[in-house]
Amino acid sequence: MPEGILCNKKMVDTKEQLDALLADAGGAQYYKEMKQLDVDSDALWVTIQKSLKSRLKTWLEICAHCGMCAESCFYYTANNRDPRQVPSYKIQSTLGELVKRKGKVDNTFMQVCMDTAFSKCSCCTRCGVYCPFGIDMGVMFGYLRGLLFSQGFTPWEMKIGTGMHRIYKAQMDVTTEDWLDTCEWMAEEWEEEYPGLKIPVDKENADILYTVNAREPKHYPQDIAEAAVLFHLAGENWTVPSEGWEETSLAMFAGDWAACKMQVENVYAAMDRLKPKRMVVTECGHAYRATVIEGPYWAGLKSGQPPVESFHYVEWVAEALRTGKLKIDPSKKIKEPVTYQDSCNYIRNAGLADIPREIMSYIAEDFREMTPNREHNFCCGGGGGLNGIGRYREARNIGMKVKRDQILATGAKLVIAPCHNCWDAIRDMEEIYHMGIKWSFLKPILIKMVEVPEHLKPRDEG
Amino acid sequence: MYQFVTGPLLWLSFAIFIIGCIVRIIRYVKGLNWQADRVAYTAHFSYGMKGAVRSVVFWLLPFGTRSWRKNPFFTALFLVFHTGLLITPIFLTAHNIILKERWGFSFWTIPESAADLLTIALIVASIFIILRRIALPEVRILTTVYDFAVIIIAVAPFVTGFIAHHMASDYKLWTILHIICGEIMLIAIPFTKLSHFVLFFMSRGQLGMDYGIKRGGMKGKGFAW
Ligand code: SF4
Ligand code: SF4
Ligand code: SF4
């Protein structure tokens, strides 16, 4: 069978296709069909010739096979130093082989590539920092994922994810109406406690355009309310767009570059339409990377910058605390030992290492660093889409041991993780390994400790 | 024979080496693609160069990066090996005498004892590098015959040169062998993994630019490798 009904080389562009995929419990049929999927070697080779440029070509060629990258990868250490987890080995035996064989590979090989690209690498880009040549497996696996996707070899959840982006311009089936309803509902719900609270939609020339992760309207709407409260208390002139509010990109994890472009252009269109002074992204690592760091390139912006200057949520928080827009009640600072998860997606991909430390200095009395930390921090284990892929759950759970041990070594009882993926991974970690810790985004913590200015307090109090 | 290997063949191998290296550099730079690599090379050239220089310099410094510091044994081997490989042939007295005779110029020279020491250290380091390849599972899994061949190509001129100079009964034969090995190495550089002689600077610099422009460099962060 050259192409299956669910598992094929076609893109998911209609609701019918998407529903059919969703109806396939756990992707059983999808993966069964994948076993029969033909590899179009010619097309694969044409793509490789067109897209494998100096950088990747040279990386594949000059890797000295020195093994310096081994220890840098958390999968290697989490799997008892299994040599098959050495970053260089992982890429040489997949992408390297694919290039060497000029794309003439079979179905089994492609599945091995898929398993490796998704269950043995979270694209955390840590190994690149440790290789003398700067060979970055995170980047190379991203490329390999793109090749695999073009041939239909992508995990079931990733195929669904890209379909969501293609159809809803969001990683989940949240429509414009759903989004606007959620904003309205949240503002109403919280208005009692915070009089005058609004979630302004499509306001032009605002100081801040705020954008989110679709999981928020879908699963944790209070996150939007909390963001609104903090902007409200800080006196910001802010807005959310009715279209182009979603920052994430599962398409980036999947390697569906066309969908990446569609998704990010949608956000940039909101910037062009509403002309905000700047944009702030919610507490999400990969969303920030997709829209602010990589997005400009998919959209073909030569400057490498989004149309308006864009910030991660931690940058806004640090600024608000620094300038006194938000004031912390000193008696409400976190007293228990607390640690901070550096998200790879804005540590090694944006250099935001000092900012969180600054925030912690305002809000925590006993802040404890993990070792290693900052740009050398390890991935939580859930990155690169791994959190959401059933087929690789076990591999992910093993990978999470490194972060578990890092957290336990600090003795902290609370982990602050301003990244959806890290947050999810730490939650799952607690569920699996029973570490006795709590975990949190920044917003709920800040809400509990910020001082509410007199004029913003509810009137009928006391 | 001597005439031939020190005449036309030497010229040819130098020509291949130099032109080959230049071609590799040019092809590397031409093959960069801002959109595919996702690095705005030209739009933020000065940030990029800052990152590139920073990255190259720290990796050239002995123990200049965390990765070097974390692997002190290998770092030492690597340093000794590469220092010997670069310094000895360029500053060897014998080579410079030939240079002077042939082309009328020469470089600084190092004392013969230092050259001997470097050569021996290099040979010992290469033995350890080979042993390390075999002994450590994480390196063994990566190693192919090609990797050994590359080391042998690089070390052979030193072994033969040392024998010719110190212990050969047939000086002429070993000298010719030494020269041929040297020429093989020169020719091999542009065509094999030894091309990292120049491509290290390209690749390291490229990732440095990536960090310098996109991954935090423009936010004034000093992290560049
Ligand atoms: S550290 Fe770099 S050169 Fe060495 S094996 Fe790993 S990827 Fe290859
Ligand atoms: S990018 Fe991260 S997960 Fe992937 S091989 Fe490198 S260190 Fe390992
Ligand atoms: S999940 Fe968090 S730690 Fe893991 S790669 Fe993503 S941002 Fe990094």
Side-chain angles (χ1 to χ4, degrees):
Chain A
M1 179 171 54
E3 299 219 21
I5 301 162
L6 299 178
C7 184
N8 49 45
K9 299 181 179 62
K10 289 190 271 297
M11 305 300 140
V12 179
D13 284 315
T14 65
K15 209 163 164 315
E16 291 69 45
Q17 286 170 287
L18 186 64
D19 288 341
L21 273 167
L22 287 166
D24 178 24
Q29 189 192 336
Y30 180 86
Y31 288 122
K32 208 156 105 207
E33 288 177 6
M34 187 183 281
K35 293 200 182 112
Q36 312 290 326
L37 190 60
D38 280 341
V39 184
D40 185 346
S41 296
D42 295 334
L44 194 53
W45 183 234
V46 169
T47 314
I48 292 175
Q49 279 174 303
K50 259 198 250 153
S51 54
L52 194 79
K53 306 270 180 177
S54 312
R55 163 158 102 149
L56 299 187
K57 229 197 242 161
T58 307
W59 281 350
L60 285 176
E61 187 184 341
I62 65 173
C63 167
H65 295 167
C66 66
M68 293 256 289
C69 49
E71 293 255 348
S72 69
C73 181
F74 69 100
Y75 278 116
Y76 173 75
T77 43
N79 286 282
N80 301 317
R81 308 168 60 90
D82 180 352
R84 285 166 304 176
Q85 291 281 1
V86 173
S88 167
Y89 177 76
K90 287 186 276 196
I91 204 71
Q92 299 282 347
S93 59
T94 53
L95 180 61
E97 204 52 32
L98 191 58
V99 172
K100 212 180 284 165
R101 294 199 218 159
K102 299 192 171 11
K104 296 219 164 26
V105 294
D106 60 11
N107 180 296
T108 317
F109 180 85
M110 291 297 268
Q111 288 200 55
V112 170
C113 284
M114 181 182 89
D115 292 344
T116 310
F118 285 92
S119 76
K120 295 184 175 175
C121 179
S122 69
C123 301
C124 76
T125 69
R126 190 171 191 268
C127 45
V129 178
Y130 287 76
C131 164
F133 296 111
I135 299 175
D136 193 326
M137 251 55 69
V139 170
M140 287 218 265
F141 272 116
Y143 175 75
L144 177 61
R145 287 173 174 203
L147 295 179
L148 292 167
F149 184 84
S150 70
Q151 293 288 319
F153 291 88
T154 199
W156 175 64
E157 293 86 346
M158 291 289 115
K159 187 89 177 188
I160 294 173
T162 62
M164 291 284 185
H165 280 293
R166 286 168 173 273
I167 296 161
Y168 294 98
K169 299 275 186 297
Q171 64 158 294
M172 290 172 174
D173 52 354
V174 181
T175 62
T176 307
E177 293 75 54
D178 296 340
W179 161 243
L180 294 176
D181 283 351
T182 309
C183 289
E184 210 183 297
W185 164 46
M186 277 296 121
E188 275 168 19
E189 187 123 314
W190 288 55
E191 223 243 328
E192 209 171 312
E193 205 174 332
Y194 298 94
L197 182 73
K198 291 226 157 43
I199 300 185
V201 179
D202 282 343
K203 193 200 285 184
E204 285 182 24
N205 305 310
D207 291 340
I208 290 175
L209 178 71
Y210 181 64
T211 50
V212 304
N213 176 329
R215 299 171 69 87
E216 291 166 13
K218 183 94 182 174
H219 296 302
Y220 342 97
Q222 73 274 19
D223 197 291
I224 299 164
E226 288 162 352
V229 168
L230 290 166
F231 283 141
H232 175 66
L233 297 182
E236 295 284 12
N237 168 18
W238 70 293
T239 187
V240 295
S242 56
E243 296 281 350
W245 48 270
E246 155 73 311
E247 290 282 331
T248 69
S249 184
L250 292 183
M252 172 174 79
F253 291 154
D256 179 356
W257 309 124
C260 287
K261 183 172 156 68
M262 283 162 59
Q263 176 63 48
V264 80
E265 282 180 341
N266 200 37
V267 182
Y268 293 172
M271 295 183 185
D272 289 338
R273 192 174 72 240
L274 300 174
K275 303 190 178 47
K277 291 213 179 61
R278 52 185 181 153
M279 197 266 289
V280 173
V281 192
T282 188
E283 295 177 69
C284 186
H286 98 265
Y288 174 81
R289 179 166 171 193
T291 307
V292 181
I293 307 293
E294 316 282 10
Y297 299 94
W298 297 323
L301 302 179
K302 280 206 147 179
S303 65
Q305 306 284 335
V308 303
E309 218 187 337
S310 301
F311 297 83
H312 189 273
Y313 199 72
V314 293
E315 295 180 278
W316 178 78
V317 171
E319 180 201 277
L321 293 170
R322 193 186 311 136
T323 55
K325 279 185 203 169
L326 287 180
K327 284 202 186 62
I328 300 292
D329 177 345
S331 67
K332 293 189 182 149
K333 280 180 150 191
I334 308 169
K335 308 244 166 5
E336 59 188 342
V338 51
T339 186
Y340 177 85
Q341 161 62 4
D342 283 303
S343 144
C344 314
N345 283 326
Y346 56 87
I347 279 294
R348 272 183 296 281
N349 283 286
L352 298 186
D354 292 333
I355 299 280
R357 271 84 203 160
E358 188 186 346
I359 297 174
M360 298 312 286
S361 77
Y362 292 107
I363 65 171
E365 285 183 357
D366 184 5
F367 171 55
R368 309 204 177 164
E369 289 278 10
M370 293 187 209
T371 9
N373 53 31
R374 303 170 75 101
E375 286 91 345
H376 293 282
N377 200 14
F378 286 109
C379 171
C380 57
L386 250 87
N387 270 343
I389 305 175
R391 183 172 162 124
Y392 305 127
R393 179 123 307 217
E394 197 39 45
R396 183 204 64 155
N397 293 350
I398 294 171
M400 288 191 314
K401 286 181 180 170
V402 172
K403 186 53 63 186
R404 174 198 65 185
D405 295 345
Q406 262 196 308
I407 294 172
L408 288 176
T410 64
K413 293 285 162 254
L414 172 66
V415 187
I416 296 186
C419 166
H420 273 264
N421 268 336
C422 304
W423 191 99
D424 285 359
I426 295 167
R427 177 201 57 204
D428 292 355
M429 203 182 291
E430 173 61 32
E431 213 163 83
I432 298 160
Y433 296 114
H434 312 291
M435 307 145 68
I437 52 154
K438 289 175 291 165
W439 58 94
S440 180
F441 287 114
L442 276 169
K443 292 180 199 108
I445 290 186
L446 288 167
I447 294 259
K448 270 189 244 151
M449 58 175 74
V450 287
E451 287 175 355
V452 179
E454 255 342 289
H455 68 284
L456 293 178
K457 283 187 178 153
R459 286 266 168 75
D460 53 355
E461 213 182 17
Chain B
M1 184 67 178
Y2 185 79
Q3 293 301 322
F4 177 69
V5 293
T6 57
L9 201 58
L10 186 66
W11 278 105
L12 188 68
S13 35
F14 265 115
I16 292 176
F17 163 67
I18 292 169
I19 296 171
C21 286
I22 293 173
V23 169
R24 297 239 44 174
I25 292 172
I26 294 174
R27 278 181 50 191
Y28 186 91
V29 175
K30 282 184 90 169
L32 289 176
N33 181 303
W34 71 272
Q35 199 165 4
D37 301 343
R38 295 185 223 147
V39 185
Y41 298 114
T42 44
H44 304 289
F45 191 71
S46 61
Y47 281 104
M49 280 327 272
K50 231 169 86 187
V53 169
R54 198 185 158 91
S55 195
V56 170
V57 167
F58 276 95
W59 278 93
L60 287 180
L61 279 178
F63 301 96
T65 61
R66 184 182 283 230
S67 197
W68 285 143
R69 290 191 290 272
K70 282 198 81 172
N71 300 278
F73 176 64
F74 179 66
T75 304
L77 286 181
F78 167 91
L79 269 174
V80 169
F81 186 72
H82 283 86
T83 318
L85 219 49
L86 285 172
I87 303 284
T88 328
I90 300 176
F91 301 109
L92 189 76
T93 310
H95 286 176
N96 279 283
I97 294 174
I98 300 172
L99 265 184
K100 188 92 191 157
E101 276 172 9
R102 291 263 191 106
W103 290 307
F105 79 96
S106 62
F107 300 106
W108 299 98
T109 55
I110 51 172
E112 212 158 293
S113 53
D116 281 345
L117 199 74
L118 274 171
T119 307
I120 294 168
L122 173 149
I123 293 169
V124 173
S126 69
I127 291 168
F128 274 104
I129 288 174
I130 289 172
L131 289 178
R132 178 181 176 272
R133 277 209 176 287
I134 300 165
L136 300 183
E138 73 269 27
V139 194
R140 199 186 319 135
I141 196 171
L142 298 170
T143 301
T144 62
V145 181
Y146 182 34
D147 295 304
F148 290 118
V150 169
I151 299 180
I152 289 167
I153 291 176
V155 180
F158 294 84
V159 175
T160 49
F162 194 78
I163 294 176
H165 195 67
H166 291 283
M167 39 214 267
S169 49
D170 189 345
Y171 174 78
K172 190 126 191 216
L173 172 77
W174 282 99
T175 307
I176 290 179
L177 275 177
H178 165 65
I179 297 167
I180 292 176
C181 286
E183 288 166 349
I184 290 175
M185 177 168 88
L186 285 175
I187 295 171
I189 286 176
F191 301 106
T192 63
K193 246 180 217 195
L194 293 172
S195 57
H196 77 248
F197 173 57
V198 286
L199 292 178
F200 160 79
F201 295 91
M202 300 287 111
S203 164
R204 192 73 250 167
Q206 193 282 331
L207 199 70
M209 285 187 100
D210 194 342
Y211 276 96
I213 292 171
K214 186 177 79 171
R215 304 210 217 170
M218 291 176 68
K219 294 211 164 169
K221 280 291 301 165
F223 184 82
W225 55 87

